[in-house]
Amino acid sequence: MKTFGIAAVAVVAALILGFGARFSATTAHADVTAIRVVPCEAIADASDGSTTDAATSAAEYATVCGDGVGLGQVITPAVITNLANALGDKDGVLEASDLDTVQGYGGNQIGAGCTSAVVPASIFCKLDVFAFTTTQSTVKFTTTTGLTFAPADTAPPTANFTCDTQAEDLDCAGPVATTDNVVVAGLLVASVGPAAADTTKTITVDQNGVPQSADINVVGPAHNVSLALVKSTIQSSNSNANFTTCSTTSDVTDSSSLSNANSTIAIATVTDASGAKLTRVPVKLTSATTNAADFATGSKANGVTSNSGETVDAGTNGIAQFAVICGGKGTGTSVIKATINATLATEDVSSQTLTVVGTPAAVALTASPAQIACDGSQTSTVTAKVTDSSGAPVADGTNVNFSVVALGTANPINVKTAAGSASSTITPLSGATAGVTVLVTAGTGTDSAQSSLRVDCSLPIPPTQTPGGNPPPPPPPTGGQTGTITGPNTGNGGYLGQSGSAGIPTWTLVALALGSVALVAGGMVTRRAGK
């Protein structure tokens, strides 16, 4: 009964606590499902729905983001549809995930000089804040001191603003009812009490009392540029057609530009005076000898492709401007330069020398060991050293193919060169009596070289002798044999065979005789005592 009472009290307590939690819990929910902070140039680049635009031009940026007089174009339903088709899954409906391909590229950075006193005509100042809602009710944009929001119909911009999505369209530009539940606000540095460089500010988007926030990094102007090349030696494309293929298909976002012999990646890092790495800074990249090496062209609308066009936050890969360099038709060296602030007194330049070697012209092969037992298990390592027509090692990443003509295997079959060399393990099968021929091809098509060698089979060991020259031991007994079972041979204790004699030693016989005499004498004494 006592146990039942305790259990009943516990149940009642649980019910009371449960109902208390039910009635005390907040009923607010996040009608703003997500916010995205996006560099305005990324929106300008894709606002027409194109997926093949080159880097954003100053004119394009001024039209969409602001030109020093106005605050840029209204983000209309048509622009929203274009963004969805250019950046997202091409269904015409813009979602937060559609902006993920460009959201991080700005690193939520804004320049301390991008103030709202006069909307900057220079590129890469304005940020766009996208709020995705599920209900058409008031959306509030607020920020800490130092920044200000700039909806396209508000001049000058205000620090905070409220958008009633039931009455106004998108970024609150007019009395047109919204149909896509997307609200957009521009973000600049305040003209009064502007945020200082190297500070972090917070913005908030609130609907129905449930806020979502994001940190904005305020940085100084571009001050220093540093250029690095992932590979300092690449291979010539050897023709205009090959160069065109490289420049149009190479992609910074995968490993192709690193694994291919005729391309590398240039990385230009830009910092402000305090050393902070900057995003959204255009870098002028040039090659002094375009016949030997030149930059690939490409779009950044769907992310970093052949050339990012500006410094971007690439996550674990760092913050920099990334660009593919392809080997040209010729060979030699080319000085690669990265320049920032080219028309200003603060211009800065960084350079690196890139070496371009020729395509494979010769393949020298060695086998280690050169002769093995061809029993299907022993192996030999075949190494190919590949050089161009001048005798220089080919660039890293040159493809080398190993092929065994018959009765053997090569592993791996396709190998990329490193320091001009590539190797494969050759295993002759047991049926190979003389050896196996290995055919090696470096490069592809007309830009290739070929060579071969034979891994020899060693002579088989005769079954009548062992490697030491001694006769082989007798085979172990098998079932069904007959004979006399004897005890184990324990030896002669060191007595027999001494001094070269196979008989019993004399001193051993004397000892036995004396022992016999003693026994006889003992017996006689015993008999007398018995009498």
Side-chain angles (χ1 to χ4, degrees):
M1 186 67 179
K2 182 178 179 180
T3 302
F4 176 79
I6 294 174
V9 171
V11 171
V12 172
L15 290 173
I16 293 173
L17 291 174
F19 279 110
R22 168 67 180 86
F23 287 111
S24 63
T26 178
T27 56
H29 59 281
D31 293 320
V32 175
T33 58
I35 61 173
R36 294 290 186 267
V37 180
V38 179
C40 192
E41 62 271 17
I43 303 304
D45 197 44
S47 62
D48 59 358
S50 172
T51 59
T52 58
D53 281 355
T56 309
S57 67
E60 187 176 28
Y61 181 87
T63 299
V64 177
C65 304
D67 59 0
V69 178
L71 293 170
Q73 73 177 177
V74 176
I75 307 298
T76 64
V79 172
I80 293 293
T81 299
N82 286 339
L83 290 175
N85 289 330
L87 300 174
D89 50 17
K90 298 177 175 55
D91 62 355
V93 178
L94 188 66
E95 300 170 337
S97 59
D98 296 338
L99 298 177
D100 288 341
T101 57
V102 293
Q103 178 197 12
Y105 289 167
N108 285 12
Q109 284 189 4
I110 192 168
C114 296
T115 66
S116 56
V118 175
V119 180
S122 61
I123 257 178
F124 313 125
C125 268
K126 187 180 177 185
L127 291 172
D128 283 321
V129 181
F130 284 72
F132 295 85
T133 73
T134 58
T135 61
Q136 294 188 6
S137 59
T138 300
V139 178
K140 297 179 180 179
F141 292 79
T142 58
T143 179
T144 51
T145 303
L147 300 179
T148 184
F149 282 103
D153 62 345
T154 303
T158 57
N160 309 310
F161 83 96
T162 299
C163 179
D164 183 355
T165 60
Q166 296 183 51
E168 296 179 320
D169 180 40
L170 306 174
D171 59 356
C172 306
V176 180
T178 181
T179 57
D180 51 23
N181 294 330
V182 180
V183 181
V184 187
L187 186 65
L188 293 167
V189 175
S191 57
V192 178
D198 302 312
T199 59
T200 299
K201 300 294 182 179
T202 300
I203 63 168
T204 301
V205 180
D206 187 307
Q207 189 179 44
N208 293 332
V210 181
Q212 293 199 43
S213 61
D215 289 335
I216 305 299
N217 302 308
V218 185
V219 294
H223 181 267
N224 180 71
V225 62
S226 178
L227 178 67
L229 303 178
V230 174
K231 293 187 295 186
S232 59
T233 301
I234 61 174
Q235 177 184 290
S236 167
S237 291
N238 212 32
S239 69
N240 290 333
N242 289 345
F243 174 82
T244 300
T245 299
C246 173
S247 65
T248 56
T249 61
S250 299
D251 193 344
V252 177
T253 58
D254 60 33
S255 61
S256 64
S257 297
L258 298 179
S259 61
N260 289 342
N262 68 329
S263 61
T264 186
I265 296 178
I267 303 173
T269 303
V270 180
T271 57
D272 63 10
S274 68
K277 292 183 179 180
L278 305 183
T279 63
R280 312 182 68 195
V281 177
V283 181
K284 182 180 180 182
L285 298 172
T286 59
S287 171
T289 310
T290 56
N291 183 60
D294 205 359
F295 288 90
T297 59
S299 168
K300 67 183 181 67
N302 287 321
V304 183
T305 54
S306 298
N307 191 331
S308 62
E310 62 179 274
T311 53
V312 298
D313 184 352
T316 57
N317 293 318
I319 296 176
Q321 177 167 337
F322 301 88
V324 174
I325 307 178
C326 295
K329 184 177 180 180
T331 60
T333 60
S334 182
V335 176
I336 308 298
K337 286 185 178 181
T339 305
I340 59 170
N341 304 333
T343 61
L344 306 176
T346 54
E347 176 183 305
D348 191 54
V349 179
S350 179
S351 62
Q352 296 286 340
T353 299
L354 179 64
T355 300
V356 182
V357 298
T359 56
V363 180
L365 300 175
T366 57
S368 179
Q371 187 179 76
I372 59 175
C374 296
D375 57 4
S377 62
Q378 293 197 32
T379 63
S380 176
T381 300
V382 173
T383 300
K385 292 187 176 180
V386 188
T387 54
D388 65 8
S389 58
S390 67
V394 295
D396 289 357
T398 300
N399 187 64
V400 179
N401 175 268
F402 291 84
S403 174
V404 178
V405 174
L407 298 177
T409 62
N411 184 33
I413 296 175
N414 293 307
V415 188
K416 301 285 187 179
T417 57
S421 295
S423 298
S424 182
T425 300
I426 307 302
T427 306
L429 301 181
S430 58
T433 56
V436 294
T437 299
V438 183
L439 182 65
V440 180
T441 304
T444 57
T446 57
D447 300 327
S448 63
Q450 195 173 77
S451 185
S452 65
L453 90 169
R454 191 176 75 172
V455 176
D456 292 325
C457 295
S458 57
L459 295 176
I461 299 173
T464 57
Q465 66 178 19
T466 62
N470 297 318
T478 59
Q481 291 184 343
T482 60
T484 303
I485 299 175
T486 61
N489 182 5
T490 59
N492 54 40
Y495 298 110
L496 295 179
Q498 295 187 30
S499 302
S501 174
I504 299 176
T506 302
W507 65 267
T508 303
L509 295 174
V510 171
L512 291 173
L514 291 175
S516 299
V517 172
L519 290 172
V520 172
M524 292 177 65
V525 170
T526 302
R527 289 179 62 189
R528 287 178 181 179
K531 292 179 177 180

